[in-house]
Amino acid sequence: ALPISNEYIPFLSKIKEISSIIGIEKIQSIYSDSNKVEIQGYCEDTEVLQKVSDLESINKFDIQELQKKDNKYFFKIEYTLGGIN
């Protein structure tokens, strides 16, 4: 296994927290560039996205896409994670 630098531990911890709110099986992709994170997936209720936006150290939360299809909301969210340079 590759060693993980300490600067990525908050990032991975936050992804784990977000996954537990949304549901890991509902996340289709995660992309990160520096401290900006983009997540695509779906949910049955948009309240989970509000819960994600309310998390500590989530900054500049933006729902870039939100589309209802049948009983699911497909989303693309972007945020910056405070404390990571």
Side-chain angles (χ1 to χ4, degrees):
L2 294 173
I4 296 175
S5 152
N6 284 344
E7 69 187 62
Y8 292 108
I9 291 174
F11 167 78
L12 295 173
S13 172
K14 195 56 64 179
I15 290 295
K16 184 177 178 181
E17 189 174 1
I18 291 169
S19 297
S20 71
I21 292 171
I22 295 173
I24 189 74
E25 71 283 355
K26 296 175 184 171
I27 294 176
Q28 297 169 320
S29 69
I30 299 171
Y31 173 77
S32 177
D33 182 13
S34 185
N35 66 340
K36 188 186 292 184
V37 181
E38 180 184 289
I39 299 176
Q40 291 184 339
Y42 66 91
C43 54
E44 285 83 22
D45 187 338
T46 56
E47 285 184 25
V48 297
L49 300 179
Q50 182 63 48
K51 288 179 185 176
V52 171
S53 74
D54 291 340
L55 290 174
E56 188 177 328
S57 76
I58 296 284
N59 302 318
K60 298 180 185 173
F61 183 86
D62 183 29
I63 298 174
Q64 297 199 324
E65 294 176 19
L66 184 63
Q67 180 180 5
K68 186 171 185 183
K69 195 171 192 178
D70 299 324
N71 62 343
K72 297 177 183 170
Y73 292 91
F74 290 84
F75 63 83
K76 179 172 148 184
I77 58 175
E78 187 177 284
Y79 64 89
T80 57
L81 192 53
I84 297 178
N85 295 321

